[in-house]
Amino acid sequence: MEKFELHILGCGSALPTTRHFATSQVLNVRDKLFMIDCGEGCQMQFRRSRLKFSRLNHIFISHLHGDHCFGLLGLISSFGLLGRTADLHIYSPAGLEELLQPMLKFFCDNLPYKVFFHAFETKRPTLIYQDRSLTVTTIPLKHRIACCGFLFAEQPTLNHIIRDMVDFYEIPLYELNRIKSGEDYVTADGTVVPNARLTIPADPPRKYAYCSDTIYRESVIEQIKEVNLLFHEATFAQKEQARARETFHTTAAQAATIAKKANVKQLVIGHFSARYEDESVLLEEAQMVFPETILARENLCITIPL
Protein backbone atom coordinates (compact mmCIF):
# COMPACT_ATOMS: atom_id res chain seq x y z
CA MET A 1 0.00 0.00 0.00
CA GLU A 2 1.39 3.40 -1.01
CA LYS A 3 2.13 5.96 1.71
CA PHE A 4 -0.80 8.25 2.54
CA GLU A 5 -0.23 9.82 5.96
CA LEU A 6 -1.48 12.86 7.83
CA HIS A 7 0.86 14.70 10.21
CA ILE A 8 -0.70 17.14 12.68
CA LEU A 9 1.67 20.06 13.29
CA GLY A 10 -0.79 22.20 15.24
CA CYS A 11 -4.43 21.88 16.30
CA GLY A 12 -5.20 25.02 18.33
CA SER A 13 -7.41 27.93 17.34
CA ALA A 14 -6.72 31.67 17.32
CA LEU A 15 -5.38 32.30 20.84
CA PRO A 16 -1.92 30.78 21.48
CA THR A 17 -1.54 28.37 24.40
CA THR A 18 1.33 26.43 25.91
CA ARG A 19 -0.35 23.18 24.85
CA HIS A 20 -1.18 23.72 21.20
CA PHE A 21 0.38 25.29 18.13
CA ALA A 22 -1.83 27.06 15.62
CA THR A 23 -3.45 25.04 12.86
CA SER A 24 -1.16 23.30 10.40
CA GLN A 25 -0.97 19.84 8.87
CA VAL A 26 1.16 17.97 6.35
CA LEU A 27 -0.15 15.23 4.10
CA ASN A 28 2.47 12.73 2.92
CA VAL A 29 1.45 11.14 -0.38
CA ARG A 30 4.07 8.69 -1.67
CA ASP A 31 6.79 10.84 -0.01
CA LYS A 32 5.57 14.09 -1.58
CA LEU A 33 4.52 16.55 1.12
CA PHE A 34 1.53 18.88 0.98
CA MET A 35 1.03 21.46 3.74
CA ILE A 36 -2.50 22.40 4.79
CA ASP A 37 -2.64 25.77 6.55
CA CYS A 38 0.50 27.28 8.01
CA GLY A 39 0.01 28.62 11.51
CA GLU A 40 2.71 30.33 13.54
CA GLY A 41 5.51 27.97 14.56
CA CYS A 42 4.73 25.35 11.93
CA GLN A 43 8.35 25.05 10.78
CA MET A 44 9.45 24.02 14.30
CA GLN A 45 6.71 21.39 14.31
CA PHE A 46 7.80 20.32 10.84
CA ARG A 47 11.24 19.57 12.29
CA ARG A 48 9.79 17.72 15.27
CA SER A 49 7.75 15.51 12.96
CA ARG A 50 11.01 14.56 11.17
CA LEU A 51 9.67 15.66 7.81
CA LYS A 52 11.96 16.83 5.01
CA PHE A 53 11.66 20.45 3.90
CA SER A 54 12.91 19.52 0.44
CA ARG A 55 9.82 17.40 -0.23
CA LEU A 56 7.35 20.23 0.42
CA ASN A 57 6.45 22.11 -2.77
CA HIS A 58 2.74 22.88 -2.30
CA ILE A 59 0.95 24.74 0.51
CA PHE A 60 -2.85 25.06 0.75
CA ILE A 61 -4.30 27.91 2.84
CA SER A 62 -7.97 27.58 3.78
CA HIS A 63 -8.57 31.25 4.61
CA LEU A 64 -6.76 34.44 5.50
CA HIS A 65 -7.07 34.49 9.27
CA GLY A 66 -3.71 34.79 10.98
CA ASP A 67 -3.81 31.53 12.88
CA HIS A 68 -3.89 29.74 9.52
CA CYS A 69 -1.18 31.67 7.66
CA PHE A 70 1.12 33.59 10.08
CA GLY A 71 3.74 30.85 9.66
CA LEU A 72 4.23 31.45 5.94
CA LEU A 73 6.77 34.27 6.06
CA GLY A 74 9.07 32.41 8.45
CA LEU A 75 8.81 29.18 6.47
CA ILE A 76 9.57 30.92 3.17
CA SER A 77 12.55 32.67 4.77
CA SER A 78 13.89 29.40 6.22
CA PHE A 79 13.65 27.74 2.81
CA GLY A 80 15.89 30.52 1.47
CA LEU A 81 18.43 30.04 4.25
CA LEU A 82 18.51 26.32 3.44
CA GLY A 83 19.43 27.09 -0.18
CA ARG A 84 16.20 25.86 -1.68
CA THR A 85 16.00 26.16 -5.49
CA ALA A 86 12.71 24.36 -6.25
CA ASP A 87 9.62 26.47 -6.88
CA LEU A 88 7.10 26.82 -4.05
CA HIS A 89 3.38 26.96 -4.87
CA ILE A 90 0.85 28.48 -2.47
CA TYR A 91 -2.90 28.07 -3.02
CA SER A 92 -5.37 30.30 -1.18
CA PRO A 93 -8.44 32.50 -1.51
CA ALA A 94 -7.72 35.81 -3.26
CA GLY A 95 -5.69 38.40 -1.37
CA LEU A 96 -2.75 36.45 0.06
CA GLU A 97 -0.25 37.51 -2.60
CA GLU A 98 -1.04 41.19 -2.06
CA LEU A 99 -0.58 40.75 1.70
CA LEU A 100 2.68 38.81 1.55
CA GLN A 101 4.56 40.39 -1.35
CA PRO A 102 5.58 43.60 0.52
CA MET A 103 6.96 41.51 3.40
CA LEU A 104 8.72 39.13 1.01
CA LYS A 105 10.23 42.13 -0.76
CA PHE A 106 11.54 43.50 2.56
CA PHE A 107 12.62 40.32 4.37
CA CYS A 108 13.24 37.81 1.56
CA ASP A 109 14.34 39.93 -1.39
CA ASN A 110 17.03 37.54 -2.67
CA LEU A 111 15.38 34.16 -2.43
CA PRO A 112 17.16 31.50 -4.50
CA TYR A 113 13.79 30.08 -5.56
CA LYS A 114 10.44 31.36 -6.85
CA VAL A 115 7.17 31.58 -4.92
CA PHE A 116 4.00 31.25 -7.00
CA PHE A 117 0.59 32.22 -5.65
CA HIS A 118 -2.57 30.55 -6.96
CA ALA A 119 -5.86 32.15 -5.92
CA PHE A 120 -8.98 29.99 -5.98
CA GLU A 121 -12.62 30.87 -5.77
CA THR A 122 -14.56 29.80 -2.69
CA LYS A 123 -18.18 29.56 -3.85
CA ARG A 124 -18.10 26.18 -5.59
CA PRO A 125 -15.87 23.06 -5.56
CA THR A 126 -12.86 23.63 -7.81
CA LEU A 127 -10.01 21.34 -8.85
CA ILE A 128 -6.90 23.31 -7.92
CA TYR A 129 -4.12 20.70 -8.14
CA GLN A 130 -3.50 17.44 -9.96
CA ASP A 131 -0.57 15.13 -10.53
CA ARG A 132 -0.13 11.40 -11.21
CA SER A 133 -0.71 10.55 -7.53
CA LEU A 134 -3.29 13.03 -6.29
CA THR A 135 -6.05 15.54 -6.98
CA VAL A 136 -6.98 18.43 -4.68
CA THR A 137 -10.45 19.97 -4.83
CA THR A 138 -11.78 22.81 -2.72
CA ILE A 139 -14.69 22.30 -0.30
CA PRO A 140 -16.71 25.54 0.08
CA LEU A 141 -17.21 26.42 3.75
CA LYS A 142 -18.96 29.28 5.56
CA HIS A 143 -16.86 31.38 7.90
CA ARG A 144 -16.54 35.09 8.64
CA ILE A 145 -14.38 35.51 5.54
CA ALA A 146 -13.96 33.50 2.33
CA CYS A 147 -12.94 29.98 3.35
CA CYS A 148 -12.54 26.54 1.80
CA GLY A 149 -11.57 23.11 2.96
CA PHE A 150 -9.77 20.63 0.72
CA LEU A 151 -10.48 17.14 -0.58
CA PHE A 152 -7.31 15.16 -1.29
CA ALA A 153 -8.02 12.11 -3.45
CA GLU A 154 -5.54 9.46 -4.52
CA GLN A 155 -5.42 8.74 -8.22
CA PRO A 156 -6.34 5.11 -9.06
CA THR A 157 -3.32 2.83 -9.42
CA LEU A 158 -2.72 -0.11 -11.74
CA ASN A 159 -3.25 -3.73 -10.75
CA HIS A 160 -0.38 -5.61 -9.12
CA ILE A 161 1.40 -8.20 -11.26
CA ILE A 162 1.75 -11.73 -9.84
CA ARG A 163 5.41 -12.36 -10.58
CA ASP A 164 5.18 -16.17 -10.44
CA MET A 165 2.46 -16.16 -13.13
CA VAL A 166 4.53 -13.85 -15.34
CA ASP A 167 7.43 -16.27 -15.08
CA PHE A 168 5.19 -19.29 -15.64
CA TYR A 169 3.77 -17.90 -18.90
CA GLU A 170 7.11 -16.31 -19.86
CA ILE A 171 5.40 -12.98 -20.48
CA PRO A 172 7.75 -10.40 -22.08
CA LEU A 173 8.39 -7.13 -20.26
CA TYR A 174 6.69 -5.00 -22.93
CA GLU A 175 3.35 -6.70 -22.16
CA LEU A 176 3.35 -5.89 -18.43
CA ASN A 177 1.85 -2.41 -18.59
CA ARG A 178 -1.07 -3.65 -20.67
CA ILE A 179 -1.68 -6.45 -18.18
CA LYS A 180 -1.48 -4.02 -15.23
CA SER A 181 -4.11 -1.94 -17.01
CA GLY A 182 -6.50 -4.91 -16.99
CA GLU A 183 -5.98 -6.61 -20.34
CA ASP A 184 -5.73 -10.38 -20.80
CA TYR A 185 -2.57 -11.98 -22.18
CA VAL A 186 -2.54 -14.01 -25.37
CA THR A 187 0.24 -16.59 -25.65
CA ALA A 188 2.15 -17.36 -28.85
CA ASP A 189 -0.18 -20.31 -29.57
CA GLY A 190 -3.30 -18.15 -29.16
CA THR A 191 -4.29 -19.18 -25.62
CA VAL A 192 -6.00 -16.37 -23.71
CA VAL A 193 -4.82 -16.04 -20.11
CA PRO A 194 -7.41 -14.08 -18.09
CA ASN A 195 -6.13 -10.95 -16.40
CA ALA A 196 -7.49 -12.16 -13.05
CA ARG A 197 -4.99 -15.02 -13.18
CA LEU A 198 -2.09 -12.63 -13.67
CA THR A 199 -2.85 -9.72 -11.36
CA ILE A 200 -4.14 -8.73 -7.95
CA PRO A 201 -6.51 -5.74 -7.91
CA ALA A 202 -4.94 -2.47 -6.80
CA ASP A 203 -5.86 -1.01 -3.43
CA PRO A 204 -8.89 1.28 -3.74
CA PRO A 205 -7.98 4.99 -3.86
CA ARG A 206 -8.21 6.78 -0.50
CA LYS A 207 -9.56 10.24 0.25
CA TYR A 208 -8.79 12.78 2.96
CA ALA A 209 -11.12 15.72 3.60
CA TYR A 210 -10.05 18.80 5.55
CA CYS A 211 -12.83 21.06 6.81
CA SER A 212 -11.34 24.14 8.37
CA ASP A 213 -13.15 26.99 10.15
CA THR A 214 -16.86 26.86 9.35
CA ILE A 215 -20.30 27.06 10.81
CA TYR A 216 -22.22 23.75 10.81
CA ARG A 217 -22.77 23.18 7.09
CA GLU A 218 -24.54 20.10 5.76
CA SER A 219 -23.85 21.11 2.17
CA VAL A 220 -20.36 19.58 2.52
CA ILE A 221 -21.77 16.11 3.17
CA GLU A 222 -22.25 15.10 -0.45
CA GLN A 223 -18.70 16.08 -1.38
CA ILE A 224 -17.03 14.26 1.53
CA LYS A 225 -19.25 11.19 1.51
CA GLU A 226 -17.43 8.00 2.55
CA VAL A 227 -13.98 9.57 2.70
CA ASN A 228 -11.38 7.48 4.50
CA LEU A 229 -10.47 10.25 6.93
CA LEU A 230 -12.19 13.53 7.75
CA PHE A 231 -10.64 16.36 9.72
CA HIS A 232 -13.32 18.73 10.94
CA GLU A 233 -12.88 21.70 13.21
CA ALA A 234 -14.50 21.32 16.63
CA THR A 235 -13.69 24.58 18.34
CA PHE A 236 -16.37 24.37 21.03
CA ALA A 237 -18.42 21.95 23.10
CA GLN A 238 -22.15 21.80 22.49
CA LYS A 239 -22.97 23.95 25.52
CA GLU A 240 -21.14 26.77 23.69
CA GLN A 241 -23.28 26.33 20.57
CA ALA A 242 -24.42 29.97 20.65
CA ARG A 243 -20.79 31.13 20.73
CA ALA A 244 -19.95 28.74 17.90
CA ARG A 245 -22.75 30.15 15.78
CA GLU A 246 -21.73 33.73 16.60
CA THR A 247 -18.11 33.13 15.55
CA PHE A 248 -18.96 30.84 12.60
CA HIS A 249 -17.42 27.76 14.17
CA THR A 250 -18.56 24.19 14.84
CA THR A 251 -19.08 22.18 18.02
CA ALA A 252 -17.65 18.70 18.54
CA ALA A 253 -21.14 17.16 18.35
CA GLN A 254 -21.86 19.00 15.10
CA ALA A 255 -18.57 17.83 13.57
CA ALA A 256 -19.45 14.25 14.53
CA THR A 257 -22.91 14.68 13.01
CA ILE A 258 -21.33 15.69 9.71
CA ALA A 259 -19.07 12.61 9.88
CA LYS A 260 -22.00 10.32 10.64
CA LYS A 261 -24.21 11.70 7.87
CA ALA A 262 -21.32 11.50 5.38
CA ASN A 263 -20.57 7.90 6.44
CA VAL A 264 -16.84 8.59 6.70
CA LYS A 265 -14.52 5.90 8.02
CA GLN A 266 -12.76 7.98 10.66
CA LEU A 267 -13.02 11.50 12.10
CA VAL A 268 -10.27 13.58 13.67
CA ILE A 269 -11.31 16.80 15.40
CA GLY A 270 -9.15 19.84 16.13
CA HIS A 271 -8.90 23.65 16.13
CA PHE A 272 -9.61 23.62 19.85
CA SER A 273 -10.59 26.77 21.74
CA ALA A 274 -8.04 27.89 24.33
CA ARG A 275 -10.77 27.68 26.99
CA TYR A 276 -10.39 23.88 27.15
CA GLU A 277 -7.48 22.65 29.24
CA ASP A 278 -8.68 19.09 28.71
CA GLU A 279 -10.15 18.32 25.28
CA SER A 280 -11.54 14.98 26.45
CA VAL A 281 -14.90 16.73 26.89
CA LEU A 282 -14.88 17.40 23.15
CA LEU A 283 -13.84 13.84 22.34
CA GLU A 284 -16.55 12.33 24.51
CA GLU A 285 -19.16 14.60 23.00
CA ALA A 286 -18.14 13.65 19.45
CA GLN A 287 -17.89 9.93 20.19
CA MET A 288 -21.45 9.92 21.52
CA VAL A 289 -22.52 10.74 17.95
CA PHE A 290 -19.71 9.14 15.92
CA PRO A 291 -17.61 6.55 17.81
CA GLU A 292 -14.78 6.49 15.25
CA THR A 293 -13.52 9.89 16.41
CA ILE A 294 -10.03 10.76 17.64
CA LEU A 295 -8.48 13.98 18.92
CA ALA A 296 -5.85 15.82 16.94
CA ARG A 297 -2.63 16.45 18.83
CA GLU A 298 0.72 17.88 17.91
CA ASN A 299 3.05 15.53 15.98
CA LEU A 300 0.36 12.86 15.69
CA CYS A 301 0.80 10.82 12.51
CA ILE A 302 -2.28 9.07 11.09
CA THR A 303 -2.06 6.53 8.31
CA ILE A 304 -5.15 7.13 6.19
CA PRO A 305 -7.17 3.91 6.53
CA LEU A 306 -8.49 1.91 3.57
Side-chain angles (χ1 to χ4, degrees):
M1 188 167 63
E2 298 282 3
K3 185 175 289 186
F4 198 48
E5 296 175 344
L6 178 68
H7 295 261
I8 305 292
L9 305 188
C11 57
S13 58
L15 190 65
T17 72
T18 57
R19 296 180 353 271
H20 293 306
F21 282 76
T23 298
S24 187
Q25 303 181 358
V26 170
L27 191 66
N28 184 337
V29 183
R30 304 177 194 178
D31 289 322
K32 292 197 296 188
L33 304 183
F34 300 86
M35 180 172 281
I36 311 163
D37 281 337
C38 188
E40 188 176 359
C42 72
Q43 58 179 316
M44 292 187 292
Q45 291 297 88
F46 203 99
R47 291 279 199 196
R48 290 189 178 114
S49 293
R50 300 185 182 277
L51 298 167
K52 294 184 177 180
F53 281 125
S54 60
R55 291 182 177 170
L56 175 61
N57 296 318
H58 301 274
I59 300 175
F60 300 87
I61 303 296
S62 62
H63 64 295
L64 304 186
H65 276 162
D67 56 324
H68 294 258
C69 60
F70 277 167
L72 277 171
L73 186 63
L75 184 64
I76 290 170
S77 176
S78 292
F79 281 160
L81 293 173
L82 290 168
R84 179 190 181 98
T85 57
D87 296 340
L88 179 67
H89 296 267
I90 303 175
Y91 307 78
S92 75
L96 182 61
E97 183 173 7
E98 289 78 9
L99 290 169
L100 268 187
Q101 281 294 9
M103 289 186 285
L104 291 178
K105 180 68 176 174
F106 187 86
F107 291 105
C108 309
D109 194 30
N110 296 306
L111 287 176
Y113 67 97
K114 293 181 179 179
V115 180
F116 293 95
F117 293 89
H118 307 271
F120 54 76
E121 83 129 77
T122 59
K123 298 296 185 184
R124 63 177 185 271
T126 305
L127 178 68
I128 57 174
Y129 176 81
Q130 182 173 15
D131 64 19
R132 293 175 59 186
S133 303
L134 184 75
T135 62
V136 184
T137 306
T138 59
I139 303 171
L141 302 173
K142 189 174 183 181
H143 194 42
R144 287 168 289 166
I145 61 173
C147 184
C148 274
F150 305 103
L151 178 63
F152 296 82
E154 280 187 308
Q155 298 273 35
T157 55
L158 299 177
N159 290 343
H160 303 295
I161 290 283
I162 302 173
R163 176 55 57 185
D164 288 347
M165 299 305 290
V166 170
D167 294 341
F168 179 80
Y169 287 105
E170 298 181 341
I171 300 173
L173 287 176
Y174 62 81
E175 292 280 3
L176 295 186
N177 279 338
R178 290 195 317 104
I179 294 170
K180 287 181 181 179
S181 298
E183 296 188 28
D184 298 332
Y185 174 63
V186 181
T187 65
D189 64 5
T191 301
V192 176
V193 182
N195 187 269
R197 191 180 298 170
L198 303 172
T199 64
I200 298 170
D203 295 322
R206 291 163 290 180
K207 293 182 179 181
Y208 169 59
Y210 173 83
C211 289
S212 176
D213 300 20
T214 183
I215 202 164
Y216 178 76
R217 188 170 170 84
E218 290 196 352
S219 60
V220 306
I221 291 172
E222 186 60 34
Q223 193 177 356
I224 66 172
K225 189 170 288 184
E226 298 182 348
V227 298
N228 302 78
L229 179 66
L230 167 66
F231 172 88
H232 200 292
E233 72 118 302
T235 308
F236 298 105
Q238 192 66 12
K239 69 177 183 179
E240 302 289 345
Q241 185 176 358
R243 180 62 177 161
R245 186 165 52 249
E246 177 187 349
T247 56
F248 284 77
H249 283 297
T250 308
T251 69
Q254 288 172 335
T257 300
I258 292 291
K260 182 177 181 179
K261 290 187 174 183
N263 195 31
V264 308
K265 289 186 172 62
Q266 189 175 34
L267 169 67
V268 56
I269 55 174
H271 198 264
F272 307 124
S273 168
R275 72 185 61 203
Y276 301 106
E277 293 189 6
D278 181 0
E279 290 86 18
S280 62
V281 62
L282 302 175
L283 179 62
E284 291 167 7
E285 181 176 294
Q287 288 181 334
M288 288 287 289
V289 179
F290 188 75
E292 297 301 318
T293 302
I294 61 174
L295 285 176
R297 57 177 171 80
E298 277 68 18
N299 305 113
L300 173 67
C301 176
I302 305 169
T303 297
I304 310 295
L306 281 173

